[in-house]
Amino acid sequence: NQSLTSLHLRGNKISSEGSKWLSETLKINQSLTSLNLEYNEISSEGSKWLSEALKINQSLTSLDLGINQILSEGCKWLSETLKINQSLTSLNLEYNEISSEGSKWLSEALKINQSLTSLHLRGNKISSEGSKWLSETLKINQSLTSL
């Protein structure tokens, strides 16, 4: 389908297995700009699949992965993608048990990425150390307008 621009799948228990199949579609789809996968039990493994797809997909601008137990490991995968992907402007990672390690990964990516304007990290376990990483990044990153 090349006419679909927005897909909301919140709360469907997609899991990491389902995100694998969805990722295969994202690799070839060029019309989808907004994808809401909030509250789907995707986990860090599922974020790996999505990250691989987003290295290829250049149409998606908004991705909601809130409440999916992405953890810091999942942030590592997403961070590698953010270093490459230049279409994503909004990323929601709220309530994913991301620690200061995860914020370090994200901070490193945001030093390179200049397309992301909005990053939501509410309800994670970032701590003061993670806040330090993010603060240092904000001295370099010129695209973020909402954190």
Side-chain angles (χ1 to χ4, degrees), residues 64-76:
D64 188 339
L65 291 174
I67 317 169
N68 273 300
Q69 294 187 330
I70 299 293
L71 310 173
S72 292
E73 181 184 351
C75 278
K76 180 179 179 180

Side-chain angles (χ1 to χ4, degrees), residues 41-127:
E41 302 172 6
I42 287 174
S43 77
S44 55
E45 182 184 348
S47 71
K48 179 181 178 180
W49 295 115
L50 291 168
S51 296
E52 289 301 314
L54 291 175
K55 287 179 182 176
I56 298 167
N57 179 290
Q58 293 299 310
S59 65
L60 199 68
T61 59
S62 178
L63 178 60
D64 188 339
L65 291 174
I67 317 169
N68 273 300
Q69 294 187 330
I70 299 293
L71 310 173
S72 292
E73 181 184 351
C75 278
K76 180 179 179 180
W77 300 117
L78 290 168
S79 295
E80 291 302 313
T81 296
L82 287 175
K83 291 177 183 177
I84 298 167
N85 181 289
Q86 294 300 309
S87 65
L88 204 61
T89 59
S90 178
L91 179 59
N92 180 7
L93 295 175
E94 294 176 345
Y95 300 100
N96 272 299
E97 299 183 36
I98 297 167
S99 69
S100 58
E101 180 186 11
S103 68
K104 181 179 178 181
W105 289 113
L106 288 170
S107 296
E108 291 301 315
L110 292 173
K111 289 178 183 176
I112 298 167
N113 180 288
Q114 293 299 310
S115 64
L116 202 66
T117 58
S118 179
L119 176 61
H120 299 278
L121 294 171
R122 179 181 16 172
N124 285 294
K125 300 175 181 182
I126 290 174
S127 77

Side-chain angles (χ1 to χ4, degrees), residues 1 4-5 14 19 27 29 36 39 44 47 52 63 68 77 84 118 131-132 136 138 140 143:
N1 183 327
L4 186 68
T5 59
I14 290 173
S19 67
K27 288 179 183 178
N29 180 283
N36 184 335
Y39 195 54
S44 55
S47 71
E52 289 301 314
L63 178 60
N68 273 300
W77 300 117
I84 298 167
S118 179
S131 296
K132 178 185 168 195
E136 291 299 316
L138 292 177
I140 299 167
S143 64

Side-chain angles (χ1 to χ4, degrees), residues 11-28:
N12 280 290
K13 296 185 179 183
I14 290 173
S15 77
S16 59
E17 183 68 23
S19 67
K20 180 179 179 180
W21 296 111
L22 188 56
S23 296
E24 291 303 313
T25 300
L26 282 175
K27 288 179 183 178
I28 57 173

